[in-house]
Amino acid sequence: MVNLVEIQNEVFILPEYSENNSQEHPLYKGIIAPSNKWIDLACDLAEESVRNGGGPFGAVILQVDSTTGSVLRYWAASNAVTRQNDPTAHAEINAIRSTCSSLGVFHLGRISKASARLFQPGVLSHCILFSSCEPCPMCYGAISWARIPLLFFGATRFDAADNMVGFSDAEIYAELDKPYRSRNIKSFKCSGDKTTLAFNLWRNIPGIHY
């Protein structure tokens, strides 16, 4: 499920970081923020997804005017892995795909009025992502490639990894720290004349940088 909703007369105010998180894992030291309507919406989407046979994850992306902080619109998405038989159809991925498609851009950190497909009053806008749960490595990578500068999440990776929930990323994090020869996915680095030809061509015929 992905919804696009236009907003009027609402301003997004960035919360202050809080150090009052002595009960949290060291990963989250100094970043505890109060709840808000957007993280609540992401969590509602996660619950709705479970009731409809999907995974327990939801995500919301806001488009915000970079000068005034006015919220222009938002996209809401939920996990669709089992409904679409697509292991990449995580809530954050679905939200990013929908947002980029609607706006006609691939860079969500700096959206110019001249290039955006949808109207924005100011010269520049940017996007903020709210996820019901701390993004997995795949989703964090997508958020980074989309250049989204601000992320809020609700549950943590440790909440998701609970034995009765069963969504642990620990193996992926551990895998990325290993040399390829020690990883669970048997991997080989191929040598050959063609492996870097596309990069050589790119140097001489630059494409659109992303």
Side-chain angles (χ1 to χ4, degrees), residues 97-171:
R97 288 172 175 166
S98 181
T99 303
C100 290
S101 177
S102 295
L103 291 173
V105 301
F106 51 77
H107 191 313
L108 298 180
R110 185 181 173 87
I111 306 162
S112 71
K113 185 173 185 176
S115 63
R117 185 176 290 154
L118 300 179
F119 172 75
Q120 62 182 57
V123 176
L124 293 175
S125 67
H126 63 276
C127 288
I128 302 170
L129 191 145
F130 297 83
S131 178
S132 65
C133 185
E134 180 178 358
C136 72
M138 176 182 72
C139 291
Y140 193 88
I143 294 165
S144 179
W145 277 112
R147 306 295 193 263
I148 296 174
L150 190 56
L151 165 68
F152 292 82
F153 59 86
T156 70
R157 69 174 76 164
F158 304 103
D159 296 321
D162 180 271
N163 287 337
M164 297 298 290
V165 180
F167 294 96
S168 177
D169 299 323
E171 184 176 310

Side-chain angles (χ1 to χ4, degrees), residues 1-4 41 44-46 48-49 52 57-60 74-81 83-84 89-91 94-95 98:
M1 180 186 101
V2 179
N3 292 326
L4 166 60
L41 176 56
D44 290 343
L45 289 163
E48 180 184 356
S49 178
N52 292 330
F57 304 98
V60 176
Y74 71 87
W75 292 259
S78 56
N79 181 283
V81 171
R83 292 197 301 272
Q84 297 179 5
H90 289 200
N94 288 339
S98 181

